[in-house]
Amino acid sequence: MARTTGIDMAAGVLRAGGLVALPTETVYGLGANAEDPAAVSRIFQVKGRPPAHPLIVHIGDAEPLDDWAEDVPATARLLAERFWPGPLTLVLRRGRRVPLVATGGLETVAVRVPDHPVALALLSAFGGGITAPSANRFGSVSPTTADDVRAELGDAVDFVLDGGPCEVGVESTIVDATGEVPAILRPGGVTREDLEAVLGRPLAVPLASRVRVPGQHPSHYAPRARVVLAEPGQVVAEAELAQQLGNQVGVLLPAAFADAEVKAHAVVLVPGSMAAYARGLYGFLRELDQKGCDLIVASLPAAEGLGLAIANRLHRAAGPRNTM
């Protein structure tokens, strides 16, 4: 009953033009009525997000996709059938229901169906689309719990719908389906290998995209501490050197080095499972911030499976030129 009441209240907030933080399987989103330009504009204001940075429209199932996008190709429908609900976002040609403020002025729109019972219940109760980027300040670490949202945005959010910790922990994979050949614009919760298996063809992961999409700012997903990247075998040595130079160093230590003694301010041993690592990544970064670290040394996992998404987030957190 309490959860049903919360969903009904959240739906009412959305109808009134308010902002709702909602859980998804990836991260918590900051949601607004996708068809209300004023409410969508408030998302940008609360996050401090550049207005040219597009948002994702969340819908309750694939059936109303043609209400939100035009000229949906067969490839996109195939991917939607296989991976929705789930952590896959499709970039398509904008439908008339989507205001340009939600797309950053583009004639393309990013759409997905989240795989979380609370998010789906809210979409059903609301009866429309919800634009929802991650519920944090622009460029900072994405929230994976309701407490993360409250700590980051406070009273700027009208209602926080608590659905527990997020199961995937990194954002959705974004696939550009507007051209003849699909391309992965942002690695995420659906792996490149799974997409290729369904499509029967290799997919590119371009360093730069002709389409602006969420999460591809040069510095993104960043904690307060500066993040630097090192080869796995060099993480311990680089962390200890940085500590000797006067930094308060936090270390994301690979599971293979669990027995190493690291002279650093704080050490987080990351799981060997890429699914567990992805689920905990943003929490690990927040933990090292909370422990007072001013520099985090991290190694990159292999760029395969969910490791590709983790590596993408660490590269963005580090920003340009922060590799040792």
Side-chain angles (χ1 to χ4, degrees), residues 122-307:
L122 176 59
L123 284 159
S124 176
F126 175 58
I130 300 175
T131 51
S134 56
N136 56 283
R137 302 293 178 188
F138 181 73
S140 65
V141 178
S142 301
T144 54
T145 69
D147 286 342
D148 291 343
V149 177
R150 297 185 184 102
E152 178 97 6
L153 297 180
D155 294 338
V157 183
D158 299 308
F159 193 89
V160 177
L161 190 57
D162 192 342
C166 299
E167 286 296 316
V168 175
V170 293
E171 290 80 358
S172 60
T173 302
I174 299 179
V175 172
D176 178 8
T178 61
E180 293 184 7
V181 180
I184 297 174
L185 304 185
R186 180 181 71 181
V190 174
T191 68
R192 175 172 56 185
E193 292 84 352
D194 285 343
L195 291 166
E196 290 175 342
V198 170
L199 296 177
R201 64 189 306 168
L203 291 182
V205 187
L207 294 177
S209 167
R210 63 183 177 84
V211 179
R212 295 196 306 273
V213 294
Q216 295 303 77
H217 192 268
S219 181
H220 215 99
Y221 315 112
R224 291 190 300 272
R226 185 166 69 95
V227 176
V228 295
L229 307 176
E231 293 298 323
Q234 298 298 315
V235 169
V236 173
E238 296 291 358
E240 291 183 348
L241 175 60
Q243 185 77 17
Q244 291 169 10
L245 293 174
N247 298 286
Q248 294 285 88
V249 177
V251 185
L252 291 180
L253 189 66
F257 297 89
D259 295 332
E261 293 185 12
V262 187
K263 297 175 182 177
H265 180 68
V267 177
V268 170
L269 182 66
V270 300
S273 158
M274 289 299 101
Y277 191 1
R279 187 161 52 247
L281 174 62
Y282 293 142
F284 299 152
L285 295 174
R286 288 179 183 275
E287 177 184 345
L288 293 175
D289 262 348
Q290 292 163 2
K291 289 182 176 179
C293 299
D294 55 31
L295 187 148
I296 296 172
V297 178
S299 68
L300 295 172
E304 58 187 28
L306 280 173

Side-chain angles (χ1 to χ4, degrees), residues 38-129:
V40 174
S41 293
R42 193 173 157 217
I43 289 178
F44 289 91
Q45 296 165 5
V46 167
K47 284 179 62 71
R49 185 185 182 99
H53 209 65
L55 307 178
I56 294 174
V57 175
H58 294 68
I59 59 178
D61 58 65
E63 185 175 348
L65 179 59
D66 291 302
D67 293 340
W68 301 95
E70 294 184 350
D71 303 322
V72 179
T75 297
R77 295 190 191 278
L78 175 62
L79 292 176
E81 180 181 352
R82 172 61 181 82
F83 294 107
W84 282 359
L88 175 69
T89 294
L90 297 174
V91 175
L92 302 162
R93 301 194 186 282
R94 181 179 71 94
R96 285 177 291 180
R97 289 184 70 174
V98 185
L100 283 170
V101 65
T103 67
L106 300 176
E107 289 298 336
T108 55
V109 61
V111 186
R112 89 175 185 100
V113 178
D115 188 14
H116 193 292
V118 175
L120 291 172
L122 176 59
L123 284 159
S124 176
F126 175 58

